[in-house]
Amino acid sequence: MTSQVSSEAGEALLGEQRGAPETPHHGTEKEVRRLDRVIIRFAGDSGDGMQLTGDRFTSETASFGNDLSTLPNFPAEIRAPAGTLPGVSSFQLHFADHDILTPGDAPNVLVAMNPAALKANIGDVPRGGEIIVNIDEFTKRPMAKVGYAVSPLEDGSLDGYRVHPVPLTTLTVEALKEFGLSRKEAERSKNMFALGLLSWMYHRPTEGTETFLRQKFAKKPAIAEANIVAFRAGWNFGETTEDFAVSYEVAPATRAFPTGTYRNISGNLALSYGLIAAARQAELPLYLGSYPITPASDILHELSKHKNFGVRTFQAEDEIAGIGAALGAAFGGSLAVTTTSGPGVALKSETIGLAVSLELPLLIVDIQRGGPSTGLPTKTEQADLLQAMYGRNGEAPVPVVAPRTPADCFDAAIEAARIALTYRTPVFLLSDGYLANGSEPWRIPEVEELPDLRTEFATGPNHTLADGTEVYWPYKRDPETLARPWAVPGTPGLEHRIGGIEKQDGTGNISYDPANHEFMVRTRQAKTDGIDVPDIEVDDPDNARTLVLGWGSTYGPITAAVRRLRADGQPIAQAHLRHLNPFPKNLGEVLARFEKVVVPEMNLGQLATLVRAKYLVDARSHTQVNGMPFKAEQLAAALKEAIDA
């Protein structure tokens, strides 16, 4: 959904309708409290529709004008074992009337659809938090599956929380009696009942969800109406029941949003749009050669919808075929992309090396996940950095770019395309599962704001021999960028060799000459080292002695932690890397200014290793590899310890 946001956003959006569905039941007047932010977590079985519920609540929150950040969390199995702890799926949303950067450390409200959801998530809920529990599921068998001998609703273990026991299943089935559905069919709408209840509780708009349901079930209008009735029933339950005596308002964000059209966007969707925009700005067809893999598959799904923009997608039989087809498309004159995750990068490594040797523009999009091997397919990690840097045979340098937020994936995709096209090189784009599935508001840019990525193809001879003969040399380089010419196959007079055997400088003929090989290796490295990237910016208002250096998706938690420290009077500087190969030219100078450098990473210290090796600074790692993003509070504590050490 999109919304227009300007400096008057707060006042304007407060006046928009966000009220009850059609024909609501109006109960007694209830208290309405104003909050500046809320963190909600929906949790249930992976078949309970928690991701859809969270997505709909997020969309309505975005249309209302709040700033927001989300954290979907779900099992790797398509249908995990029902009622078990490994089968719990959750969706956390943090929304506020001010600028926020993370999905939040701990939920203020937990919606638990069954005992497993409660047990898996209760440890994250602070004392005093609200818990909405579907009491229909707290029977002997579901509780026994997760080790509850006695119901936690009766043994006093939840006394420190504000618990709302709601028979969600029973109320949903009762609300849908008129539709003649079986109990099992009716129960599937209980997530919409929960969504309606939370929509009432936080004054969310409702029209968008009803429209969405009618569109989603357009071929099954009875199912659409059943879900809408369940949604309205949840709203009316909140409005009329005595158990919910208070509802809450979180006003639209009033920070200085640049004027424009905004929409809620996930990282994978933003990345897809960035690839399309880059191809349009380059006036090239976009080609994706890909094999489905979590969490990158959404990019394949999205790009396949946009044939009208000159996008061609190929779902290959395996990872190697996917990148092979993409490299062939690059040779043929397309902006070529292959998408994958860490295990797929391992399989693609030989062809990436071939792309380095052929010096063709190719984007390798790695949506990182927990490893090694199959690892944690649906959890996040940023442990592929060293693989992207060095995971090939021989000296095969590849530029590396990393987005920092879901919306930033759009700009990072365009930047990766700029480097690939300008310097004729494969480029790694390192996102991760946290960015890919998370979402936030994004200002849709004007076309005039996008860079011109047009590049020229070779059209004729580019070298004159001693005898005056004009010939085409495929490895005659641009003196500034060291990029070789790009010749579209079939262009008369531009026939040349391709392949993985070393090329002779200039002519491109096969060469086993030792001196030529050393020259070509050093030239390819020099081309990468010479890529023009912006200087790294340092946020240091207090002349701090400690710098926290991050990359990729750690940006949000780091920035939130830095804000907490500064609010407590602790001086700390922050810098964040987008370009990881080559590093910004001023990075060494920046690092030398500080007594201490702390590098938080969701790996065992890969960036810190690179920084120590290149700049000989004592960069201190703060790491975690638990499949989840950093929590701002924990990170703030670690940074405070570094400051005091």
Side-chain angles (χ1 to χ4, degrees):
M1 301 186 68
T2 59
S3 59
Q4 291 287 337
V5 180
S6 67
S7 57
E8 293 80 30
E11 295 297 326
L13 287 174
L14 269 175
E16 292 187 5
Q17 182 176 356
R18 56 187 181 205
E22 299 172 14
T23 62
H25 298 141
H26 294 286
T28 57
E29 191 71 21
K30 296 190 177 185
E31 180 184 356
V32 178
R33 295 179 188 170
R34 191 73 170 264
L35 302 175
D36 64 347
R37 67 186 186 95
V38 173
I39 303 168
I40 297 174
R41 184 182 296 177
F42 298 93
D45 270 338
S46 58
D48 282 340
M50 294 297 93
Q51 303 306 315
L52 174 63
T53 305
D55 183 69
R56 289 313 314 158
F57 196 93
T58 298
S59 294
E60 300 295 9
T61 297
S63 71
F64 188 68
N66 294 118
D67 198 12
L68 62 89
S69 179
T70 69
L71 178 62
N73 186 17
F74 43 87
E77 293 83 4
I78 294 174
R79 183 65 173 94
T84 66
L85 294 177
V88 173
S89 173
S90 67
F91 189 105
Q92 183 162 304
L93 166 68
H94 182 190
F95 62 102
D97 65 3
H98 57 277
D99 178 26
I100 57 173
L101 297 156
T102 75
D105 289 355
N108 308 113
V109 181
L110 171 65
V111 179
M113 302 296 281
N114 61 16
L118 178 65
K119 189 163 190 176
N121 292 279
I122 187 62
D124 293 336
V125 183
R127 291 285 173 171
E130 293 197 70
I131 302 175
I132 299 172
V133 181
N134 180 15
I135 58 173
D136 287 332
E137 294 296 320
F138 279 73
T139 57
K140 187 174 181 179
R141 185 177 178 187
M143 289 193 298
K145 278 188 178 182
V146 295
Y148 281 135
V150 180
S151 172
L153 303 175
E154 301 171 356
D155 66 2
S157 60
L158 300 180
D159 287 351
Y161 305 93
R162 290 179 287 167
V163 180
H164 302 278
V166 180
L168 282 171
T169 305
T170 299
L171 291 171
T172 303
V173 171
E174 183 67 24
L176 301 184
K177 283 172 61 176
E178 64 185 88
F179 288 89
L181 301 173
S182 68
R183 181 177 178 86
K184 186 175 182 180
E185 290 172 329
E187 285 180 4
R188 291 174 182 164
S189 297
K190 64 180 180 289
N191 63 325
M192 288 297 104
F193 188 100
L195 178 60
L197 174 57
L198 269 292
S199 297
W200 169 83
M201 195 170 175
Y202 289 97
H203 296 231
R204 298 295 90 186
T206 61
E207 292 79 4
T209 292
E210 295 195 12
T211 300
F212 167 83
L213 290 170
R214 289 193 174 97
Q215 292 173 346
K216 180 177 176 64
F217 298 106
K219 296 182 179 180
K220 298 179 179 179
I223 298 298
E225 291 307 312
N227 277 282
I228 290 170
V229 167
F231 176 64
R232 293 175 178 174
W235 177 287
N236 287 324
F237 178 77
E239 179 78 7
T240 57
T241 184
E242 295 181 0
D243 190 44
F244 291 88
V246 180
S247 65
Y248 304 92
E249 283 188 348
V250 181
T254 56
R255 68 179 171 121
F257 281 102
T259 302
T261 302
Y262 284 77
R263 60 157 295 161
N264 182 50
I265 200 165
S266 68
N268 273 351
L269 184 58
L271 202 154
S272 301
Y273 288 172
L275 294 173
I276 297 171
R280 299 293 284 186
Q281 292 302 103
E283 297 183 353
L284 296 173
L286 179 65
Y287 185 93
L288 173 66
S290 180
Y291 179 73
I293 184 172
T294 302
S297 299
D298 286 342
I299 302 171
L300 171 62
H301 301 158
E302 183 61 33
L303 290 181
S304 68
K305 303 174 184 176
H306 297 287
K307 296 180 180 66
N308 57 315
F309 287 119
V311 179
R312 179 172 293 180
T313 54
F314 168 52
Q315 181 174 319
E317 65 268 29
D318 55 42
E319 295 281 4
I320 298 171
I323 190 172
L327 185 56
F331 179 62
S334 294
L335 176 58
V337 185
T338 188
T339 52
T340 189
S341 191
V345 173
L347 293 167
K348 296 178 188 289
S349 61
E350 183 178 7
T351 308
I352 296 171
L354 177 59
V356 171
S357 176
L358 297 179
E359 300 187 42
L360 287 170
L362 172 67
L363 302 185
I364 305 109
V365 178
D366 178 5
I367 312 298
Q368 301 166 95
R369 71 190 206 187
S373 188
T374 307
L376 303 174
T378 59
K379 310 302 180 185
T380 196
E381 205 165 272
Q382 49 178 178
D384 294 350
L385 176 57
L386 294 183
Q387 182 183 32
M389 289 285 290
Y390 303 120
R392 294 163 294 284
N393 64 294
E395 295 287 346
V398 176
V400 181
V401 175
R404 64 185 189 179
T405 67
D408 188 49
C409 289
F410 177 88
D411 296 314
I414 292 178
E415 173 64 0
R418 177 192 72 85
I419 294 172
L421 294 170
T422 303
Y423 296 91
R424 308 286 197 275
T425 178
V427 177
F428 262 102
L429 180 56
L430 289 184
S431 180
D432 61 42
Y434 171 39
L435 296 183
N437 297 316
S439 60
E440 65 178 353
W442 171 60
R443 187 181 73 86
I444 302 172
E446 301 294 334
V447 174
E448 297 76 20
E449 299 172 19
L450 302 178
D452 184 350
L453 300 181
R454 287 175 293 182
T455 185
E456 294 183 0
F457 293 110
T459 57
N462 62 358
H463 184 76
T464 304
L465 299 176
D467 62 2
T469 304
E470 292 187 337
V471 297
Y472 173 67
W473 275 11
Y475 282 83
K476 184 172 183 177
R477 302 179 182 280
D478 180 284
E480 185 173 328
T481 65
L482 299 181
R484 78 173 186 91
W486 193 4
V488 176
T491 306
L494 303 189
E495 297 84 0
H496 60 282
R497 293 179 180 273
I498 62 169
I501 298 177
E502 184 63 277
K503 313 296 186 298
Q504 184 181 54
D505 177 42
T507 69
N509 295 329
I510 290 175
S511 174
Y512 296 99
D513 178 62
N516 176 78
H517 176 61
E518 178 149 351
F519 177 82
M520 293 294 277
V521 168
R522 292 187 182 276
T523 300
R524 289 188 289 261
Q525 184 64 57
K527 182 173 69 171
T528 299
D529 292 341
I531 290 172
D532 181 27
V533 303
D535 283 348
I536 190 170
E537 297 180 357
V538 183
D539 178 20
D540 183 20
D542 303 313
N543 295 316
R545 295 185 301 171
T546 301
L547 171 72
V548 54
L549 177 69
W551 72 277
S553 66
T554 57
Y555 173 78
I558 289 174
T559 306
V562 166
R563 287 180 180 177
R564 294 187 184 200
L565 291 171
R566 289 177 181 169
D568 290 339
Q570 298 291 328
I572 188 166
Q574 179 185 359
H576 207 79
L577 286 165
R578 161 169 282 179
H579 297 89
L580 296 150
N581 191 31
F583 285 133
K585 291 180 173 57
N586 69 330
L587 180 57
E589 175 190 340
V590 165
L591 296 174
R593 284 166 31 195
F594 295 91
E595 294 180 14
K596 303 170 188 174
V597 178
V598 182
V599 185
E601 298 181 79
M602 292 186 294
N603 56 47
L604 295 183
Q606 296 186 15
L607 175 61
T609 297
L610 295 174
V611 166
R612 289 190 192 108
K614 185 173 179 64
Y615 300 107
L616 303 180
V617 298
D618 184 21
R620 307 181 184 188
S621 289
H622 178 73
T623 65
Q624 71 175 38
V625 282
N626 61 8
M628 299 294 289
F630 282 108
K631 292 184 176 180
E633 183 178 3
Q634 295 173 349
L635 198 50
L639 295 177
K640 175 67 164 58
E641 184 178 330
I643 293 172
D644 294 341

